């Protein structure tokens, strides 16, 4: 259960490469990434919206809420036991500036290559249904709190980062990394609930 396998599902560098728009693109649509990655499981699907929310693009009004709802919809499907992720067309039509996203990915790639050395398949208990549901439940919570936390500058970054780390753990079969993401999400919930009364008032 704790042993390593010879090969992981994918690397962080590969995941980021799939998020990188083609040189000819002016806009990058969620559907573009979806078409390439939908058969790779829920991890990559959760990674894209959470990654966007963690970048400067996430500072654009409305983006944290849109990415939060997208995370929520994907995570709910994990809880419901869906085999293949599905999203409504309105979500698939979400897009961002391709040049900006391309630039961000290029800057991060060298660091991703270094991180890849530490991402290995391990802690396979996280693949059990109960722990998979735990990850999904935390992603649901993160998606929910990202909507009201958009009103507080930078606060939505914590749940978005937590989802991205959990997603990377799922995509690379690294349960230890996914567990780190769960821990960060719990911290984000505590911090978020402390600030929610301020948002409501």
């Amino acid at each position: 259960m704790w042993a390593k396998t010879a090969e992981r599902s994918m690397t962080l560098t590969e995941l980021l490469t799939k998020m990188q728009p083609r040189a000819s693109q002016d806009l990058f649509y969620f559907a573009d990434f979806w078409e390439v990655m939908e058969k790779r499981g829920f991890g990559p699907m959760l990674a894209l919206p959470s990654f966007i929310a963690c970048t400067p693009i996430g500072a654009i009004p409305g983006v944290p809420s849109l990415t939060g709802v997208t995370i929520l919809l994907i995570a709910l499907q994990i809880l419901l036991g869906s085999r293949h992720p599905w999203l409504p067309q309105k979500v698939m039509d979400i897009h961002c500036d391709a040049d900006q996203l391309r630039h961000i990915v290029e800057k991060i790639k060298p660091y991703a290559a270094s991180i890849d050395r530490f991402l290995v398949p391990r802690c396979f208990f996280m693949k059990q249904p109960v722990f998979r549901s735990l990850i999904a439940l935390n992603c649901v919570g993160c998606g929910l709190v990202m909507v009201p936390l958009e009103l507080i500058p930078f606060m939505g970054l914590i749940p978005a980062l937590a989802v991205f780390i959990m997603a990377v753990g799922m995509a690379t079969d690294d349960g230890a990394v996914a567990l780190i993401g769960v821990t960060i999400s719990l911290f984000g919930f505590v911090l978020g609930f402390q600030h929610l009364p301020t948002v409501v008032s």
Side-chain angles (χ1 to χ4, degrees):
M1 184 164 58
W2 290 81
K4 298 177 184 178
T5 60
E7 192 174 341
R8 60 196 147 186
S9 296
M10 65 190 309
T11 65
L12 179 57
T13 302
E14 181 185 355
L15 182 60
L16 288 172
T17 300
K18 298 297 183 182
M19 295 180 187
Q20 193 167 22
R22 296 186 300 274
S24 59
Q25 284 184 278
D26 294 322
L27 296 174
F28 183 71
Y29 287 83
F30 196 91
D32 297 332
F33 179 78
W34 193 270
E35 289 174 5
V36 176
M37 300 299 288
E38 65 173 323
K39 294 183 180 178
R40 300 300 294 266
F42 285 93
M45 295 297 100
L46 285 167
L48 179 60
S50 57
F51 175 76
I52 289 174
C54 289
T55 68
I57 298 174
I60 299 172
V63 171
S65 293
L66 284 173
T67 52
V69 170
T70 304
I71 289 167
L72 171 64
L73 290 173
I74 297 171
L76 280 174
Q77 290 177 68
I78 301 176
L79 284 174
L80 294 172
S82 300
R83 292 190 176 184
H84 301 289
W86 171 89
L87 286 175
Q89 191 59 44
K90 284 189 176 181
V91 175
M92 300 289 272
D93 289 339
I94 294 173
H95 59 272
C96 63
D97 182 86
D99 286 335
Q100 190 175 8
L101 183 58
R102 193 182 300 113
H103 177 68
I104 292 168
V105 172
E106 281 296 335
K107 288 187 70 174
I108 294 175
K109 267 188 176 180
Y111 301 102
S114 300
I115 294 171
D116 275 331
R117 292 180 295 173
F118 302 99
L119 295 174
V120 294
R122 56 189 160 186
C123 300
F124 294 111
F125 65 87
M126 295 298 286
K127 280 195 165 185
Q128 297 299 315
V130 62
F131 290 104
R132 183 178 169 86
S133 296
L134 173 66
I135 293 173
L137 196 58
N138 276 274
C139 289
V140 167
C142 288
L144 278 173
V145 300
M146 282 173 67
V147 177
L149 287 182
E150 179 178 351
L151 300 175
I152 304 176
F154 308 112
M155 281 299 298
L157 180 62
I158 297 174
L161 179 62
V163 173
F164 182 68
I165 293 173
M166 286 186 278
V168 169
M170 293 171 70
T172 60
D173 291 327
D174 194 331
V177 169
L179 196 56
I180 292 172
V182 170
T183 304
I184 294 174
S185 71
L186 295 175
F187 170 73
F189 294 151
V190 173
L191 206 60
F193 285 127
Q194 288 178 345
H195 287 81
L196 278 178
T198 305
V199 175
V200 173
S201 59

